[in-house]
Amino acid sequence: MTMILTILFYILIFPGLLFCVTAGLLLSGIDRKLVARMQGRVGPPVTQPIYDFFKLLGKETIIPAAANKKVFLTAPVVGFISLVTIALFIPIKLFMPMSGVADVVVILYLLCIPSLALIVGGAASGSPFAGVGISREMVAIIAYELPLAIILLTVGKLAGVGGVTFSFDEIELYQAYFGPNIAHWSMLPAAVAMLLVIPCEAGSHPFDIAEAETEICEGPLCEYSGRPLAVFKLNAALKTFVMPALFTALFLGGMGTGRLWLDVLIFLAECFAVMFVSMTLPHAICARLKVEQTFKFYWTTVTGLAICSFALVWLGV
Amino acid sequence: MFKKLIKKSAGKSPWLFHVNAGSCNGCDIEIVACLTPRYDAERFGFKLAGTPRHADIIVVSGPVTSQTKERVLRVLAQAPEPKVVVAVGSCPQSCNVFKGSYSVEGPLKNLTHVDVEVCGCAPKPEAIMAGLVEATKILREKRGEN
Amino acid sequence: MVLPYLEEAIKNLFKRPATRVSFPKEIPPAAPDYRGRISYDPTLCVNCGMCMRVCAPAAITKTVERNEDGDDVITLSFDLGSCTYCRTCADFCARKAIKLTEDYVMVATNPADLIVSGTFVKKKPVIPPKPPVQPLPKAEA
């Protein structure tokens, strides 16, 4: 009985629904404020995404006549559920309540689902703008999945002595004994590659070729309004928490202090630092890349860095 | 349970959509100037949305010409309730110097209910922001009624 | 991938923002000689009608009523929603009754707020009685 209650606590409060939604909304608000300050403006208050979400809950939901109603309404919810599930499995410095259930490969394919939800939602709305948007989102997914898989293989090879491991338990224990993964100089190219994969996955400038683009009337989200749109915007905010959290767990893990609340604070501070370097800085100063440029960049530069790191780790250096 | 929070958020995060109904672009330049660092409309939560389905405030500039009349009506129909219509400049209010022309349909109040009018030719960005802040107050009242 | 303005972006984090933050509490003053809201002084007006003649958007309208003394009650209305703020009416006014002030925030939810009008009474001119016709002096033969 207490085990069921404990598991429900993990799923709904920490590190599940409430924790990751709050952390995602606050991190996304801090990101917007910092971008404004870097551009010399005052910027919205830090709680602005919370106001956005509740305002969208109160708007009327209009379903276009050409849309497939069931798919249109359930696509954002599927993306939301998969993102909360990923947040359950990411370890916070040796606190891994559910790690027996899932490992890194599960995270890799769960990460595809929110982007697929965007594609399916856009396809279900029946608008030509959405059609253009979903083809760009497909290009983005193909572009970043390749380096991401190579990076995960590299971390697995480093952490598994004598073989490749995909379990979070072993990766965290390895980092607890030998220090954070980023301290090994053979992992530095992989860390840089992962920092470049994060903005494309989370849909932030200069790589947001699919979502939220005013060139094609907001792409796949073109016909959404009201509650489904609120859930999609919540997904985008959750991704700004989940992606830096994954980076922190893979590269910046470690022993941590013994106390849980201090570990959580340090974890959030590291997430913020990763988000600042990979999402906020480029957002403030760069313009958006073209579709061909993004694809070429990811398949040459970023994949090259990941393969370089993989080769160094394989040779045992 | 969240009704009070929803009512408060309606005025704190208004998203704009700008329709150019045949204007000379003077008012359009001033509207976009509101988002620059000097006047910064984003600190009140304003954001330009790419599609009228995401917008709360529809900002119209220009006298409504025959070619744009149907499009303006379509954009207004696509915006979900509650919404506010703001007429920027003196063209949507009375067609200014283009009164009686063969291609101008008439002021915006012949087509729809206009909530806020900002006068000027072209109005300064501070005046446009004062009009938009007034529009968010009307948005909160409309949200409170539902 | 080029990273432009990186140093400037980091330096801006520690400087004050460039926004004029005083906006919601006070309105900053306009540049000198700015053409803003119209102010009309009916006591100086003489009803010549030049402003109506030169106004391009036809924003000025006049109504004349005759009251019981036989005087004209003249009301001029300036529609701020039609005006182009070009100041031609003020330039042509012979008595300088029209001025464009520097007040530029003209926001209204009720269209009746946008009309500036003034009324004055033009008294009937008092015509002195005609003098009797003097016979012409007879021409000397």
Side-chain angles (χ1 to χ4, degrees):
Chain A
M1 185 60 203
T2 50
M3 198 162 123
I4 296 183
L5 278 180
T6 321
I7 292 188
L8 272 180
F9 177 80
Y10 288 144
I11 293 181
L12 289 177
I13 312 281
F14 170 83
L17 189 65
L18 203 61
F19 174 69
C20 75
V21 164
T22 319
L25 287 173
L26 278 178
L27 272 179
S28 145
I30 295 178
D31 168 62
R32 233 170 121 176
K33 181 81 170 176
L34 281 178
V35 165
R37 284 280 168 162
M38 283 206 267
Q39 291 175 343
R41 304 184 274 134
V42 173
V46 174
T47 50
Q48 184 67 29
I50 302 181
Y51 292 139
D52 282 344
F53 177 67
F54 281 106
K55 175 211 75 163
L56 281 173
L57 279 185
K59 295 277 282 186
E60 177 194 4
T61 308
I62 301 180
I63 304 180
N68 183 344
K69 193 167 165 182
K70 286 203 193 83
V71 178
F72 191 78
L73 291 175
T74 50
V77 179
V78 166
F80 178 64
I81 292 176
S82 66
L83 275 173
V84 171
T85 315
I86 297 178
L88 277 178
F89 296 139
I90 294 187
I92 305 182
K93 292 212 199 310
L94 293 183
F95 171 75
M96 295 166 275
M98 305 258 222
S99 65
V101 179
D103 58 357
V104 176
V105 178
V106 175
I107 301 269
L108 185 60
Y109 66 71
L110 274 178
L111 269 179
C112 285
I113 296 187
S115 315
L116 282 179
L118 197 64
I119 291 184
V120 167
S125 41
S127 149
F129 290 120
V132 174
I134 64 181
S135 78
R136 291 171 155 213
E137 174 71 16
M138 285 189 234
V139 168
I141 294 180
I142 297 175
Y144 70 69
E145 283 292 330
L146 180 63
L148 187 62
I150 299 181
I151 291 168
L152 292 175
L153 259 181
T154 313
V155 173
K157 173 74 180 142
L158 182 72
V161 279
V164 181
T165 170
F166 286 124
S167 143
F168 267 122
D169 275 337
E170 297 192 23
I171 296 180
E172 291 302 315
L173 282 174
Y174 182 85
Q175 291 188 70
Y177 282 132
F178 292 103
N181 273 345
I182 205 171
H184 301 256
W185 66 275
S186 60
M187 292 295 280
L188 273 181
V192 172
M194 181 88 177
L195 281 177
L196 288 170
V197 164
I198 289 180
C200 194
E201 176 108 39
S204 136
H205 272 60
F207 299 112
D208 66 337
I209 53 181
E211 312 110 7
E213 187 172 18
T214 40
E215 286 169 19
I216 47 169
C217 283
E218 307 251 354
L221 295 180
C222 172
E223 300 283 340
Y224 276 94
S225 58
R227 288 194 199 136
L229 184 65
V231 180
F232 263 127
K233 295 290 182 189
L234 189 62
N235 284 0
L238 273 182
K239 273 203 218 174
T240 63
F241 168 64
V242 162
M243 288 306 296
L246 193 64
F247 181 91
T248 313
L250 288 178
F251 287 91
L252 296 174
M255 193 65 145
T257 61
R259 286 166 262 226
L260 185 58
W261 58 272
L262 202 57
D263 275 343
V264 169
L265 284 177
I266 297 180
F267 184 77
L268 285 175
E270 285 172 343
C271 277
F272 166 71
V274 169
M275 183 194 80
F276 182 78
V277 171
S278 70
M279 285 173 64
T280 310
L281 265 184
H283 186 136
I285 57 184
C286 290
R288 190 179 293 129
L289 290 186
K290 292 203 287 195
V291 183
E292 307 90 46
Q293 287 172 340
T294 317
F295 193 71
K296 185 173 160 195
F297 176 69
Y298 274 98
W299 271 40
T300 54
T301 313
V302 181
T303 310
L305 283 172
I307 290 183
C308 180
S309 195
F310 186 63
L312 285 174
V313 165
W314 196 276
L315 294 174
V317 177
Chain B
M1 157 170 83
F2 285 117
K3 288 244 177 333
K4 272 183 72 174
L5 190 51
I6 291 182
K7 180 165 180 231
K8 182 178 171 200
S9 307
K12 290 260 193 182
S13 132
W15 288 359
L16 310 175
F17 183 73
H18 166 242
V19 180
N20 179 335
S23 122
C24 68
N25 287 346
C27 295
D28 302 342
I29 297 178
E30 303 289 340
I31 291 172
V32 180
C34 285
L35 297 164
T36 53
R38 187 153 189 195
Y39 301 106
D40 200 19
E42 200 178 359
R43 58 193 149 115
F44 301 114
F46 290 112
K47 193 174 95 133
L48 273 183
T51 151
R53 295 214 188 264
H54 293 189
D56 301 305
I57 301 182
I58 312 271
V59 177
V60 184
S61 66
V64 182
T65 56
S66 308
Q67 210 177 16
T68 57
K69 172 178 168 188
E70 191 194 309
R71 278 89 178 170
V72 168
L73 282 174
R74 214 185 271 192
V75 163
L76 285 170
Q78 281 183 349
E81 292 291 336
K83 66 170 183 275
V84 172
V85 178
V86 174
V88 168
S90 49
C91 280
Q93 296 169 30
S94 62
C95 303
N96 211 344
V97 285
F98 306 113
K99 268 181 234 183
S101 157
Y102 61 90
S103 66
V104 165
E105 291 284 328
L108 194 60
K109 51 180 179 275
N110 292 355
L111 281 184
T112 176
H113 167 69
V114 178
D115 292 295
V116 179
E117 302 178 343
V118 181
C119 296
C121 183
K124 274 177 93 97
E126 286 103 336
I128 297 180
M129 279 212 292
L132 288 175
V133 167
E134 186 74 34
T136 56
K137 288 190 200 141
I138 297 182
L139 199 58
R140 273 187 79 170
E141 284 167 18
K142 283 195 180 178
R143 177 71 247 155
E145 281 163 12
N146 297 352
Chain C
M1 214 172 92
V2 185
L3 286 180
Y5 300 119
L6 189 58
E7 305 170 5
E8 210 178 279
I10 308 250
K11 276 194 216 146
N12 274 345
L13 275 178
F14 304 109
K15 282 200 283 201
R16 264 180 47 185
T19 314
R20 289 170 150 188
V21 206
S22 64
F23 163 64
K25 300 188 272 274
E26 52 185 68
I27 310 281
D33 217 20
Y34 188 78
R35 303 194 292 268
R37 186 187 284 260
I38 296 184
S39 84
Y40 167 63
D41 188 3
T43 55
L44 295 174
C45 178
V46 291
N47 194 20
C48 65
M50 278 307 288
C51 54
M52 288 171 48
R53 202 178 271 258
V54 299
C55 180
I60 312 180
T61 47
K62 172 168 81 173
T63 53
V64 179
E65 301 161 358
R66 190 151 280 224
N67 67 4
E68 57 275 356
D69 294 336
D71 299 329
D72 290 331
V73 178
I74 303 174
T75 308
L76 258 89
S77 313
F78 295 79
D79 183 9
L80 289 179
S82 285
C83 179
T84 313
Y85 305 92
C86 59
R87 206 161 48 191
T88 311
C89 54
D91 286 341
F92 271 81
C93 181
R95 293 281 181 266
K96 311 261 182 301
I98 307 180
K99 281 201 199 23
L100 266 74
T101 58
E102 290 184 2
D103 173 25
Y104 57 86
V105 179
M106 291 169 278
V107 172
T109 43
N110 182 5
D113 293 337
L114 291 176
I115 304 200
V116 174
S117 61
T119 311
F120 63 101
V121 174
K122 192 156 185 190
K123 301 197 88 51
K124 203 169 71 159
V126 177
I127 307 176
K130 283 171 100 150
V133 178
Q134 305 276 1
L136 282 172
K138 274 222 160 63
E140 296 293 320

